[in-house]
Amino acid sequence: RFVWSFSPAPSTAPSIASILTSSWPSSHGVTQFANPALSEQARTLAEYLGEAGYDTAAFVANPVLRRGRHLEQGFAIYDDRMTRREPNRPELREREAGELTDSALAWLRVARRPWFLWVHYQDPHGPYEPPHATRRRDPPDGAPLPLLEDHSGYQGIPAYQALPGLRSLEAYEQRYGDEIRHVDLHIARLVAEADRIGPPPWVVLTADHAEAFGEDDYYFAHGHSVAIDQIRVPLLMRPAEPGPAWVSTRPASGVDVAPTLLRAAGLPIPDSFQGEPLPLRADDEAESARTLLAEHRARAAVVVGSTYYARDRQHLAPGTPDAITGGVFLPLPPRVAKLEPDGRPPEYRSGQEESTAQLESLLARTLQSTEEPGRRERPRLTEAERQALRALGYLE
């Protein structure tokens, strides 16, 4: 388990594209908007594994992962059937975890070895309505949140998240927990059946973004920033021949999934990959000087060592319209945080002080390296930058 794992973006499509191609969002071109597709030059993990003789399949439940965005590249089977309507946005379709798992297992039982299976669960995701969920109520002392007319989640309940009779933070947190428990049952079923069918496979579990529950005054929402509450995600790996369980405190990213799996398969890692294979044993873990990036169309963040730094990518006037949520953008100040080994949520410090100049330089250089065509190097700290940040307590 990786204590500090980050998604490359706070929304599904760009983050998934980064996981599949091991490249940052500004390199692969997929965004939160519906139209941009994966660039024709990009190659996916499924393509490399397919060329090596793997049977490949994907089962997805989120409409933004539909065919046509080129995320299906390399998959012999790409099942993007959506069989139920989202309650508050009936124009959007999705697929429930139980049905999705059934479809994946039907393929798995006839797949030839070796195989690569990707299952993308839409649960948990708003609105929080898992099947057979426990009925929830607002607590008597719960402060009611206003119902918004937009999907932003700023200071209230997004329109697409509204659940009948529920207005409190506590009630929505409980329903989100119900969603997690529901999908957890089906992930367990998927892994148990895969183990039963044949030799236990490698298993990787991660997420494409997180969710706000009051951070920065946003509720039950994602995609509005690269704050830690938006990009910190679980990352667990079970090798095919697992050794003793251990916990890594080295920061990891979704772009590291593909190179880790290629190494596990004994295949070369392409020079185009911007991620790196993750350590799989405690004695392999070492300090890393590399920089992890998280991108939003209006904001960006870097993680280096035990330090997080984020700022807006451009000047945002208060009230700038957000075309995706129907709300507005709010300027977020530059800020820095120390990531503690125990994983507790950090407190932000001002990123406008003179001591963060090295971090600002690193962020600017990292963004430049990903946005220039043809450049895919992995930005790293210079020794002078490392010494300066260590002296300030930002590196161990």
Side-chain angles (χ1 to χ4, degrees), residues 92-138:
L92 295 182
R93 290 179 176 268
E94 56 188 5
R95 188 158 34 157
E96 180 268 327
E99 183 180 345
L100 186 71
T101 302
D102 289 342
S103 297
L105 287 176
W107 176 84
L108 193 57
R109 294 184 183 108
V110 299
R112 58 172 174 77
R113 290 186 174 274
W115 50 257
F116 170 59
L117 169 65
W118 168 39
V119 183
H120 182 274
Y121 290 95
Q122 176 75 343
D123 334 59
H125 194 282
Y128 310 143
E129 288 196 310
H132 316 298
T134 302
R135 183 176 181 182
R136 301 295 184 181
R137 294 180 179 177
D138 289 327

mmCIF file of all heavy atoms in Angstrom, residues 92-138:
data_model
loop_
_atom_site.group_PDB
_atom_site.id
_atom_site.type_symbol
_atom_site.label_atom_id
_atom_site.label_comp_id
_atom_site.label_asym_id
_atom_site.label_seq_id
_atom_site.Cartn_x
_atom_site.Cartn_y
_atom_site.Cartn_z
ATOM 1 N N LEU A 92 -27.365 10.900 -18.809
ATOM 2 C CA LEU A 92 -26.124 10.161 -18.591
ATOM 3 C C LEU A 92 -26.430 8.739 -18.155
ATOM 4 O O LEU A 92 -27.308 8.503 -17.328
ATOM 5 C CB LEU A 92 -25.260 10.851 -17.534
ATOM 6 C CG LEU A 92 -24.722 12.237 -17.871
ATOM 7 C CD1 LEU A 92 -23.856 12.755 -16.749
ATOM 8 C CD2 LEU A 92 -23.938 12.212 -19.173
ATOM 9 N N ARG A 93 -25.680 7.798 -18.705
ATOM 10 C CA ARG A 93 -25.853 6.403 -18.341
ATOM 11 C C ARG A 93 -24.589 5.879 -17.673
ATOM 12 O O ARG A 93 -23.496 6.401 -17.884
ATOM 13 C CB ARG A 93 -26.183 5.555 -19.578
ATOM 14 C CG ARG A 93 -27.573 5.840 -20.142
ATOM 15 C CD ARG A 93 -27.840 4.987 -21.370
ATOM 16 N NE ARG A 93 -29.184 5.172 -21.872
ATOM 17 C CZ ARG A 93 -30.224 4.441 -21.522
ATOM 18 N NH1 ARG A 93 -30.063 3.458 -20.638
ATOM 19 N NH2 ARG A 93 -31.420 4.650 -22.034
ATOM 20 N N GLU A 94 -24.756 4.827 -16.886
ATOM 21 C CA GLU A 94 -23.650 4.222 -16.174
ATOM 22 C C GLU A 94 -23.945 2.738 -16.018
ATOM 23 O O GLU A 94 -24.946 2.226 -16.545
ATOM 24 C CB GLU A 94 -23.476 4.889 -14.798
ATOM 25 C CG GLU A 94 -24.730 4.837 -13.940
ATOM 26 C CD GLU A 94 -24.620 5.652 -12.664
ATOM 27 O OE1 GLU A 94 -23.613 6.344 -12.467
ATOM 28 O OE2 GLU A 94 -25.566 5.581 -11.854
ATOM 29 N N ARG A 95 -23.076 2.035 -15.288
ATOM 30 C CA ARG A 95 -23.319 0.611 -15.024
ATOM 31 C C ARG A 95 -22.951 0.303 -13.577
ATOM 32 O O ARG A 95 -21.892 0.716 -13.101
ATOM 33 C CB ARG A 95 -22.516 -0.262 -15.994
ATOM 34 C CG ARG A 95 -22.875 -1.723 -15.901
ATOM 35 C CD ARG A 95 -22.536 -2.555 -17.134
ATOM 36 N NE ARG A 95 -21.347 -2.180 -17.853
ATOM 37 C CZ ARG A 95 -20.669 -3.013 -18.647
ATOM 38 N NH1 ARG A 95 -21.071 -4.264 -18.795
ATOM 39 N NH2 ARG A 95 -19.608 -2.608 -19.301
ATOM 40 N N GLU A 96 -23.813 -0.421 -12.903
ATOM 41 C CA GLU A 96 -23.636 -0.727 -11.480
ATOM 42 C C GLU A 96 -22.557 -1.795 -11.290
ATOM 43 O O GLU A 96 -22.313 -2.626 -12.170
ATOM 44 C CB GLU A 96 -24.987 -1.170 -10.918
ATOM 45 C CG GLU A 96 -25.017 -1.525 -9.455
ATOM 46 C CD GLU A 96 -24.767 -3.009 -9.265
ATOM 47 O OE1 GLU A 96 -25.174 -3.808 -10.138
ATOM 48 O OE2 GLU A 96 -24.143 -3.353 -8.234
ATOM 49 N N ALA A 97 -21.912 -1.763 -10.121
ATOM 50 C CA ALA A 97 -20.739 -2.594 -9.863
ATOM 51 C C ALA A 97 -21.017 -4.086 -9.999
ATOM 52 O O ALA A 97 -20.178 -4.835 -10.523
ATOM 53 C CB ALA A 97 -20.197 -2.294 -8.464
ATOM 54 N N GLY A 98 -22.165 -4.554 -9.535
ATOM 55 C CA GLY A 98 -22.450 -5.979 -9.623
ATOM 56 C C GLY A 98 -22.551 -6.460 -11.056
ATOM 57 O O GLY A 98 -21.971 -7.493 -11.433
ATOM 58 N N GLU A 99 -23.278 -5.720 -11.871
ATOM 59 C CA GLU A 99 -23.424 -6.086 -13.277
ATOM 60 C C GLU A 99 -22.084 -5.988 -14.007
ATOM 61 O O GLU A 99 -21.754 -6.836 -14.846
ATOM 62 C CB GLU A 99 -24.460 -5.170 -13.936
ATOM 63 C CG GLU A 99 -24.736 -5.513 -15.380
ATOM 64 C CD GLU A 99 -25.758 -4.591 -16.015
ATOM 65 O OE1 GLU A 99 -26.457 -3.874 -15.265
ATOM 66 O OE2 GLU A 99 -25.842 -4.571 -17.258
ATOM 67 N N LEU A 100 -21.316 -4.951 -13.696
ATOM 68 C CA LEU A 100 -20.009 -4.790 -14.327
ATOM 69 C C LEU A 100 -19.100 -5.971 -13.989
ATOM 70 O O LEU A 100 -18.418 -6.523 -14.865
ATOM 71 C CB LEU A 100 -19.377 -3.483 -13.853
ATOM 72 C CG LEU A 100 -18.064 -3.084 -14.522
ATOM 73 C CD1 LEU A 100 -18.300 -2.648 -15.952
ATOM 74 C CD2 LEU A 100 -17.379 -1.970 -13.732
ATOM 75 N N THR A 101 -19.086 -6.379 -12.731
ATOM 76 C CA THR A 101 -18.253 -7.507 -12.312
ATOM 77 C C THR A 101 -18.692 -8.794 -12.993
ATOM 78 O O THR A 101 -17.850 -9.606 -13.419
ATOM 79 C CB THR A 101 -18.308 -7.659 -10.784
ATOM 80 O OG1 THR A 101 -17.877 -6.440 -10.176
ATOM 81 C CG2 THR A 101 -17.424 -8.796 -10.306
ATOM 82 N N ASP A 102 -19.984 -9.006 -13.119
ATOM 83 C CA ASP A 102 -20.481 -10.198 -13.815
ATOM 84 C C ASP A 102 -19.950 -10.252 -15.248
ATOM 85 O O ASP A 102 -19.533 -11.317 -15.732
ATOM 86 C CB ASP A 102 -22.008 -10.200 -13.841
ATOM 87 C CG ASP A 102 -22.620 -10.458 -12.468
ATOM 88 O OD1 ASP A 102 -21.912 -10.957 -11.577
ATOM 89 O OD2 ASP A 102 -23.817 -10.141 -12.296
ATOM 90 N N SER A 103 -19.964 -9.117 -15.937
ATOM 91 C CA SER A 103 -19.484 -9.080 -17.321
ATOM 92 C C SER A 103 -17.990 -9.377 -17.383
ATOM 93 O O SER A 103 -17.521 -10.118 -18.261
ATOM 94 C CB SER A 103 -19.779 -7.709 -17.933
ATOM 95 O OG SER A 103 -21.167 -7.463 -17.997
ATOM 96 N N ALA A 104 -17.230 -8.778 -16.470
ATOM 97 C CA ALA A 104 -15.785 -9.012 -16.457
ATOM 98 C C ALA A 104 -15.466 -10.475 -16.175
ATOM 99 O O ALA A 104 -14.568 -11.070 -16.802
ATOM 100 C CB ALA A 104 -15.125 -8.098 -15.425
ATOM 101 N N LEU A 105 -16.193 -11.083 -15.240
ATOM 102 C CA LEU A 105 -15.937 -12.477 -14.900
ATOM 103 C C LEU A 105 -16.325 -13.417 -16.040
ATOM 104 O O LEU A 105 -15.670 -14.441 -16.257
ATOM 105 C CB LEU A 105 -16.693 -12.849 -13.625
ATOM 106 C CG LEU A 105 -16.125 -12.257 -12.334
ATOM 107 C CD1 LEU A 105 -17.021 -12.605 -11.148
ATOM 108 C CD2 LEU A 105 -14.705 -12.759 -12.089
ATOM 109 N N ALA A 106 -17.378 -13.084 -16.784
ATOM 110 C CA ALA A 106 -17.760 -13.908 -17.932
ATOM 111 C C ALA A 106 -16.625 -13.959 -18.950
ATOM 112 O O ALA A 106 -16.347 -15.020 -19.534
ATOM 113 C CB ALA A 106 -19.042 -13.365 -18.564
ATOM 114 N N TRP A 107 -15.977 -12.800 -19.166
ATOM 115 C CA TRP A 107 -14.820 -12.784 -20.080
ATOM 116 C C TRP A 107 -13.646 -13.545 -19.475
ATOM 117 O O TRP A 107 -12.971 -14.334 -20.165
ATOM 118 C CB TRP A 107 -14.393 -11.345 -20.373
ATOM 119 C CG TRP A 107 -13.153 -11.271 -21.220
ATOM 120 C CD1 TRP A 107 -13.094 -11.342 -22.583
ATOM 121 C CD2 TRP A 107 -11.801 -11.133 -20.762
ATOM 122 N NE1 TRP A 107 -11.780 -11.263 -23.005
ATOM 123 C CE2 TRP A 107 -10.970 -11.125 -21.908
ATOM 124 C CE3 TRP A 107 -11.217 -11.015 -19.507
ATOM 125 C CZ2 TRP A 107 -9.582 -11.008 -21.825
ATOM 126 C CZ3 TRP A 107 -9.836 -10.895 -19.411
ATOM 127 C CH2 TRP A 107 -9.018 -10.891 -20.556
ATOM 128 N N LEU A 108 -13.396 -13.343 -18.208
ATOM 129 C CA LEU A 108 -12.233 -13.935 -17.563
ATOM 130 C C LEU A 108 -12.268 -15.459 -17.624
ATOM 131 O O LEU A 108 -11.222 -16.117 -17.760
ATOM 132 C CB LEU A 108 -12.172 -13.459 -16.110
ATOM 133 C CG LEU A 108 -10.888 -13.691 -15.333
ATOM 134 C CD1 LEU A 108 -9.703 -13.052 -16.036
ATOM 135 C CD2 LEU A 108 -11.030 -13.134 -13.921
ATOM 136 N N ARG A 109 -13.447 -16.032 -17.554
ATOM 137 C CA ARG A 109 -13.562 -17.497 -17.541
ATOM 138 C C ARG A 109 -13.191 -18.124 -18.880
ATOM 139 O O ARG A 109 -12.918 -19.336 -18.939
ATOM 140 C CB ARG A 109 -14.982 -17.896 -17.137
ATOM 141 C CG ARG A 109 -15.321 -17.508 -15.689
ATOM 142 C CD ARG A 109 -16.691 -17.996 -15.265
ATOM 143 N NE ARG A 109 -16.997 -17.539 -13.898
ATOM 144 C CZ ARG A 109 -17.878 -16.597 -13.605
ATOM 145 N NH1 ARG A 109 -18.582 -16.020 -14.589
ATOM 146 N NH2 ARG A 109 -18.084 -16.238 -12.350
ATOM 147 N N VAL A 110 -13.181 -17.346 -19.962
ATOM 148 C CA VAL A 110 -12.826 -17.900 -21.281
ATOM 149 C C VAL A 110 -11.564 -17.257 -21.854
ATOM 150 O O VAL A 110 -11.128 -17.621 -22.945
ATOM 151 C CB VAL A 110 -13.997 -17.723 -22.274
ATOM 152 C CG1 VAL A 110 -15.227 -18.471 -21.786
ATOM 153 C CG2 VAL A 110 -14.332 -16.246 -22.489
ATOM 154 N N ALA A 111 -10.982 -16.306 -21.137
ATOM 155 C CA ALA A 111 -9.791 -15.617 -21.649
ATOM 156 C C ALA A 111 -8.617 -16.587 -21.711
ATOM 157 O O ALA A 111 -8.467 -17.483 -20.881
ATOM 158 C CB ALA A 111 -9.455 -14.435 -20.752
ATOM 159 N N ARG A 112 -7.783 -16.391 -22.726
ATOM 160 C CA ARG A 112 -6.560 -17.194 -22.814
ATOM 161 C C ARG A 112 -5.446 -16.491 -22.051
ATOM 162 O O ARG A 112 -5.415 -15.275 -21.931
ATOM 163 C CB ARG A 112 -6.164 -17.399 -24.275
ATOM 164 C CG ARG A 112 -5.939 -16.122 -25.034
ATOM 165 C CD ARG A 112 -5.379 -16.363 -26.407
ATOM 166 N NE ARG A 112 -5.307 -15.125 -27.180
ATOM 167 C CZ ARG A 112 -4.389 -14.193 -27.011
ATOM 168 N NH1 ARG A 112 -3.445 -14.355 -26.089
ATOM 169 N NH2 ARG A 112 -4.396 -13.090 -27.753
ATOM 170 N N ARG A 113 -4.555 -17.257 -21.529
ATOM 171 C CA ARG A 113 -3.428 -16.705 -20.779
ATOM 172 C C ARG A 113 -2.259 -16.450 -21.718
ATOM 173 O O ARG A 113 -2.085 -17.187 -22.690
ATOM 174 C CB ARG A 113 -3.013 -17.665 -19.663
ATOM 175 C CG ARG A 113 -4.057 -17.730 -18.555
ATOM 176 C CD ARG A 113 -3.584 -18.558 -17.379
ATOM 177 N NE ARG A 113 -4.541 -18.468 -16.300
ATOM 178 C CZ ARG A 113 -4.545 -17.501 -15.389
ATOM 179 N NH1 ARG A 113 -3.623 -16.563 -15.413
ATOM 180 N NH2 ARG A 113 -5.457 -17.471 -14.431
ATOM 181 N N PRO A 114 -1.441 -15.435 -21.383
ATOM 182 C CA PRO A 114 -1.625 -14.458 -20.299
ATOM 183 C C PRO A 114 -2.695 -13.438 -20.668
ATOM 184 O O PRO A 114 -2.963 -13.216 -21.847
ATOM 185 C CB PRO A 114 -0.250 -13.801 -20.190
ATOM 186 C CG PRO A 114 0.298 -13.865 -21.586
ATOM 187 C CD PRO A 114 -0.193 -15.182 -22.146
ATOM 188 N N TRP A 115 -3.304 -12.819 -19.654
ATOM 189 C CA TRP A 115 -4.345 -11.846 -19.927
ATOM 190 C C TRP A 115 -4.127 -10.581 -19.108
ATOM 191 O O TRP A 115 -3.436 -10.589 -18.094
ATOM 192 C CB TRP A 115 -5.743 -12.418 -19.667
ATOM 193 C CG TRP A 115 -5.962 -13.102 -18.342
ATOM 194 C CD1 TRP A 115 -6.010 -14.446 -18.114
ATOM 195 C CD2 TRP A 115 -6.196 -12.481 -17.070
ATOM 196 N NE1 TRP A 115 -6.249 -14.701 -16.780
ATOM 197 C CE2 TRP A 115 -6.359 -13.523 -16.117
ATOM 198 C CE3 TRP A 115 -6.276 -11.160 -16.636
ATOM 199 C CZ2 TRP A 115 -6.603 -13.274 -14.763
ATOM 200 C CZ3 TRP A 115 -6.511 -10.912 -15.278
ATOM 201 C CH2 TRP A 115 -6.674 -11.956 -14.369
ATOM 202 N N PHE A 116 -4.737 -9.502 -19.619
ATOM 203 C CA PHE A 116 -4.742 -8.212 -18.916
ATOM 204 C C PHE A 116 -6.174 -7.714 -18.883
ATOM 205 O O PHE A 116 -6.810 -7.545 -19.932
ATOM 206 C CB PHE A 116 -3.842 -7.198 -19.637
ATOM 207 C CG PHE A 116 -3.981 -5.783 -19.125
ATOM 208 C CD1 PHE A 116 -3.728 -5.483 -17.791
ATOM 209 C CD2 PHE A 116 -4.364 -4.743 -19.969
ATOM 210 C CE1 PHE A 116 -3.863 -4.188 -17.309
ATOM 211 C CE2 PHE A 116 -4.487 -3.445 -19.504
ATOM 212 C CZ PHE A 116 -4.236 -3.162 -18.173
ATOM 213 N N LEU A 117 -6.694 -7.499 -17.689
ATOM 214 C CA LEU A 117 -8.079 -7.074 -17.504
ATOM 215 C C LEU A 117 -8.099 -5.746 -16.751
ATOM 216 O O LEU A 117 -7.482 -5.619 -15.692
ATOM 217 C CB LEU A 117 -8.844 -8.132 -16.702
ATOM 218 C CG LEU A 117 -10.238 -7.754 -16.197
ATOM 219 C CD1 LEU A 117 -11.198 -7.516 -17.359
ATOM 220 C CD2 LEU A 117 -10.778 -8.848 -15.264
ATOM 221 N N TRP A 118 -8.817 -4.781 -17.311
ATOM 222 C CA TRP A 118 -9.038 -3.499 -16.622
ATOM 223 C C TRP A 118 -10.539 -3.363 -16.365
ATOM 224 O O TRP A 118 -11.350 -3.453 -17.293
ATOM 225 C CB TRP A 118 -8.546 -2.327 -17.481
ATOM 226 C CG TRP A 118 -8.989 -0.976 -16.986
ATOM 227 C CD1 TRP A 118 -9.079 -0.557 -15.694
ATOM 228 C CD2 TRP A 118 -9.417 0.137 -17.790
ATOM 229 N NE1 TRP A 118 -9.527 0.748 -15.637
ATOM 230 C CE2 TRP A 118 -9.739 1.187 -16.896
ATOM 231 C CE3 TRP A 118 -9.547 0.335 -19.153
ATOM 232 C CZ2 TRP A 118 -10.200 2.429 -17.358
ATOM 233 C CZ3 TRP A 118 -9.999 1.565 -19.618
ATOM 234 C CH2 TRP A 118 -10.308 2.596 -18.729
ATOM 235 N N VAL A 119 -10.913 -3.168 -15.108
ATOM 236 C CA VAL A 119 -12.311 -2.938 -14.729
ATOM 237 C C VAL A 119 -12.390 -1.577 -14.066
ATOM 238 O O VAL A 119 -11.711 -1.329 -13.062
ATOM 239 C CB VAL A 119 -12.822 -4.030 -13.766
ATOM 240 C CG1 VAL A 119 -14.302 -3.805 -13.463
ATOM 241 C CG2 VAL A 119 -12.608 -5.420 -14.359
ATOM 242 N N HIS A 120 -13.189 -0.686 -14.627
ATOM 243 C CA HIS A 120 -13.342 0.658 -14.072
ATOM 244 C C HIS A 120 -14.727 0.790 -13.464
ATOM 245 O O HIS A 120 -15.744 0.814 -14.162
ATOM 246 C CB HIS A 120 -13.150 1.725 -15.152
ATOM 247 C CG HIS A 120 -13.251 3.123 -14.606
ATOM 248 N ND1 HIS A 120 -14.451 3.777 -14.479
ATOM 249 C CD2 HIS A 120 -12.308 3.963 -14.131
ATOM 250 C CE1 HIS A 120 -14.239 4.977 -13.951
ATOM 251 N NE2 HIS A 120 -12.957 5.108 -13.732
ATOM 252 N N TYR A 121 -14.767 0.880 -12.140
ATOM 253 C CA TYR A 121 -16.040 0.996 -11.425
ATOM 254 C C TYR A 121 -16.462 2.456 -11.314
ATOM 255 O O TYR A 121 -15.653 3.320 -10.993
ATOM 256 C CB TYR A 121 -15.907 0.395 -10.025
ATOM 257 C CG TYR A 121 -15.770 -1.100 -10.018
ATOM 258 C CD1 TYR A 121 -14.508 -1.698 -9.967
ATOM 259 C CD2 TYR A 121 -16.892 -1.921 -10.064
ATOM 260 C CE1 TYR A 121 -14.380 -3.087 -9.953
ATOM 261 C CE2 TYR A 121 -16.774 -3.303 -10.055
ATOM 262 C CZ TYR A 121 -15.513 -3.876 -10.005
ATOM 263 O OH TYR A 121 -15.394 -5.248 -9.993
ATOM 264 N N GLN A 122 -17.733 2.693 -11.559
ATOM 265 C CA GLN A 122 -18.304 4.025 -11.381
ATOM 266 C C GLN A 122 -18.692 4.268 -9.926
ATOM 267 O O GLN A 122 -18.775 5.407 -9.477
ATOM 268 C CB GLN A 122 -19.535 4.184 -12.287
ATOM 269 C CG GLN A 122 -20.295 5.473 -12.149
ATOM 270 C CD GLN A 122 -19.604 6.670 -12.785
ATOM 271 O OE1 GLN A 122 -18.406 6.624 -13.064
ATOM 272 N NE2 GLN A 122 -20.343 7.735 -13.021
ATOM 273 N N ASP A 123 -18.925 3.204 -9.185
ATOM 274 C CA ASP A 123 -19.226 3.336 -7.768
ATOM 275 C C ASP A 123 -17.879 3.371 -7.018
ATOM 276 O O ASP A 123 -17.030 2.530 -7.289
ATOM 277 C CB ASP A 123 -20.003 2.137 -7.234
ATOM 278 C CG ASP A 123 -20.823 1.424 -8.293
ATOM 279 O OD1 ASP A 123 -20.244 0.953 -9.292
ATOM 280 O OD2 ASP A 123 -22.024 1.288 -8.105
ATOM 281 N N PRO A 124 -17.682 4.236 -6.056
ATOM 282 C CA PRO A 124 -18.595 5.266 -5.574
ATOM 283 C C PRO A 124 -18.484 6.556 -6.398
ATOM 284 O O PRO A 124 -17.388 6.995 -6.725
ATOM 285 C CB PRO A 124 -18.120 5.491 -4.143
ATOM 286 C CG PRO A 124 -16.662 5.164 -4.166
ATOM 287 C CD PRO A 124 -16.476 4.118 -5.233
ATOM 288 N N HIS A 125 -19.602 7.098 -6.722
ATOM 289 C CA HIS A 125 -19.669 8.327 -7.506
ATOM 290 C C HIS A 125 -21.059 8.883 -7.304
ATOM 291 O O HIS A 125 -22.013 8.133 -7.100
ATOM 292 C CB HIS A 125 -19.415 8.016 -8.985
ATOM 293 C CG HIS A 125 -19.129 9.214 -9.837
ATOM 294 N ND1 HIS A 125 -20.121 10.055 -10.280
ATOM 295 C CD2 HIS A 125 -17.967 9.703 -10.337
ATOM 296 C CE1 HIS A 125 -19.563 11.014 -11.016
ATOM 297 N NE2 HIS A 125 -18.264 10.827 -11.065
ATOM 298 N N GLY A 126 -21.171 10.185 -7.376
ATOM 299 C CA GLY A 126 -22.472 10.778 -7.151
ATOM 300 C C GLY A 126 -23.445 10.524 -8.276
ATOM 301 O O GLY A 126 -23.040 10.365 -9.425
ATOM 302 N N PRO A 127 -24.742 10.512 -7.979
ATOM 303 C CA PRO A 127 -25.316 10.564 -6.629
ATOM 304 C C PRO A 127 -25.094 9.266 -5.875
ATOM 305 O O PRO A 127 -25.054 8.192 -6.469
ATOM 306 C CB PRO A 127 -26.803 10.817 -6.899
ATOM 307 C CG PRO A 127 -27.048 10.274 -8.273
ATOM 308 C CD PRO A 127 -25.775 10.500 -9.038
ATOM 309 N N TYR A 128 -24.928 9.367 -4.562
ATOM 310 C CA TYR A 128 -24.555 8.228 -3.736
ATOM 311 C C TYR A 128 -25.783 7.360 -3.460
ATOM 312 O O TYR A 128 -26.433 7.500 -2.425
ATOM 313 C CB TYR A 128 -23.932 8.705 -2.420
ATOM 314 C CG TYR A 128 -22.835 9.728 -2.572
ATOM 315 C CD1 TYR A 128 -22.709 10.770 -1.660
ATOM 316 C CD2 TYR A 128 -21.914 9.666 -3.620
ATOM 317 C CE1 TYR A 128 -21.692 11.712 -1.771
ATOM 318 C CE2 TYR A 128 -20.896 10.602 -3.755
ATOM 319 C CZ TYR A 128 -20.795 11.628 -2.827
ATOM 320 O OH TYR A 128 -19.792 12.567 -2.952
ATOM 321 N N GLU A 129 -26.069 6.463 -4.386
ATOM 322 C CA GLU A 129 -27.253 5.608 -4.258
ATOM 323 C C GLU A 129 -26.925 4.163 -4.617
ATOM 324 O O GLU A 129 -27.376 3.646 -5.644
ATOM 325 C CB GLU A 129 -28.383 6.122 -5.147
ATOM 326 C CG GLU A 129 -29.031 7.400 -4.640
ATOM 327 C CD GLU A 129 -30.368 7.658 -5.297
ATOM 328 O OE1 GLU A 129 -30.434 7.605 -6.526
ATOM 329 O OE2 GLU A 129 -31.344 7.908 -4.565
ATOM 330 N N PRO A 130 -26.135 3.473 -3.782
ATOM 331 C CA PRO A 130 -25.861 2.063 -4.059
ATOM 332 C C PRO A 130 -27.102 1.209 -3.849
ATOM 333 O O PRO A 130 -27.996 1.582 -3.076
ATOM 334 C CB PRO A 130 -24.781 1.713 -3.035
ATOM 335 C CG PRO A 130 -25.032 2.649 -1.906
ATOM 336 C CD PRO A 130 -25.504 3.928 -2.541
ATOM 337 N N PRO A 131 -27.211 0.069 -4.536
ATOM 338 C CA PRO A 131 -28.376 -0.799 -4.336
ATOM 339 C C PRO A 131 -28.485 -1.262 -2.883
ATOM 340 O O PRO A 131 -27.484 -1.541 -2.226
ATOM 341 C CB PRO A 131 -28.088 -1.989 -5.264
ATOM 342 C CG PRO A 131 -27.112 -1.461 -6.263
ATOM 343 C CD PRO A 131 -26.290 -0.445 -5.541
ATOM 344 N N HIS A 132 -29.683 -1.324 -2.403
ATOM 345 C CA HIS A 132 -29.978 -1.862 -1.059
ATOM 346 C C HIS A 132 -29.246 -1.098 0.043
ATOM 347 O O HIS A 132 -28.853 -1.671 1.066
ATOM 348 C CB HIS A 132 -29.617 -3.355 -0.988
ATOM 349 C CG HIS A 132 -30.063 -4.147 -2.166
ATOM 350 N ND1 HIS A 132 -31.397 -4.278 -2.505
ATOM 351 C CD2 HIS A 132 -29.356 -4.836 -3.113
ATOM 352 C CE1 HIS A 132 -31.496 -5.027 -3.597
ATOM 353 N NE2 HIS A 132 -30.280 -5.361 -3.981
ATOM 354 N N ALA A 133 -29.025 0.185 -0.162
ATOM 355 C CA ALA A 133 -28.310 0.978 0.843
ATOM 356 C C ALA A 133 -29.165 1.151 2.095
ATOM 357 O O ALA A 133 -30.399 1.182 2.039
ATOM 358 C CB ALA A 133 -27.948 2.348 0.282
ATOM 359 N N THR A 134 -28.481 1.258 3.217
ATOM 360 C CA THR A 134 -29.166 1.558 4.471
ATOM 361 C C THR A 134 -29.827 2.934 4.369
ATOM 362 O O THR A 134 -29.225 3.879 3.851
ATOM 363 C CB THR A 134 -28.165 1.569 5.631
ATOM 364 O OG1 THR A 134 -27.520 0.307 5.684
ATOM 365 C CG2 THR A 134 -28.853 1.852 6.949
ATOM 366 N N ARG A 135 -31.040 3.039 4.852
ATOM 367 C CA ARG A 135 -31.698 4.341 4.813
ATOM 368 C C ARG A 135 -30.982 5.302 5.756
ATOM 369 O O ARG A 135 -30.709 4.966 6.915
ATOM 370 C CB ARG A 135 -33.167 4.206 5.232
ATOM 371 C CG ARG A 135 -33.930 5.524 5.131
ATOM 372 C CD ARG A 135 -35.394 5.362 5.460
ATOM 373 N NE ARG A 135 -36.093 6.639 5.334
ATOM 374 C CZ ARG A 135 -37.379 6.798 5.599
ATOM 375 N NH1 ARG A 135 -38.111 5.754 6.008
ATOM 376 N NH2 ARG A 135 -37.939 7.986 5.463
ATOM 377 N N ARG A 136 -30.646 6.454 5.270
ATOM 378 C CA ARG A 136 -29.933 7.445 6.070
ATOM 379 C C ARG A 136 -30.828 8.635 6.366
ATOM 380 O O ARG A 136 -31.745 8.958 5.598
ATOM 381 C CB ARG A 136 -28.676 7.914 5.321
ATOM 382 C CG ARG A 136 -27.697 6.801 4.993
ATOM 383 C CD ARG A 136 -27.099 6.177 6.239
ATOM 384 N NE ARG A 136 -26.089 5.165 5.918
ATOM 385 C CZ ARG A 136 -25.438 4.458 6.823
ATOM 386 N NH1 ARG A 136 -25.702 4.639 8.112
ATOM 387 N NH2 ARG A 136 -24.540 3.575 6.457
ATOM 388 N N ARG A 137 -30.516 9.301 7.474
ATOM 389 C CA ARG A 137 -31.258 10.497 7.845
ATOM 390 C C ARG A 137 -30.282 11.567 8.305
ATOM 391 O O ARG A 137 -29.187 11.262 8.776
ATOM 392 C CB ARG A 137 -32.246 10.183 8.970
ATOM 393 C CG ARG A 137 -33.364 9.227 8.586
ATOM 394 C CD ARG A 137 -34.283 8.976 9.755
ATOM 395 N NE ARG A 137 -35.375 8.075 9.383
ATOM 396 C CZ ARG A 137 -36.290 7.641 10.230
ATOM 397 N NH1 ARG A 137 -36.249 8.022 11.507
ATOM 398 N NH2 ARG A 137 -37.246 6.830 9.819
ATOM 399 N N ASP A 138 -30.706 12.802 8.175
ATOM 400 C CA ASP A 138 -29.905 13.885 8.728
ATOM 401 C C ASP A 138 -29.910 13.776 10.251
ATOM 402 O O ASP A 138 -30.978 13.554 10.852
ATOM 403 C CB ASP A 138 -30.488 15.244 8.325
ATOM 404 C CG ASP A 138 -30.291 15.550 6.856
ATOM 405 O OD1 ASP A 138 -29.263 15.129 6.297
ATOM 406 O OD2 ASP A 138 -31.169 16.207 6.258
#
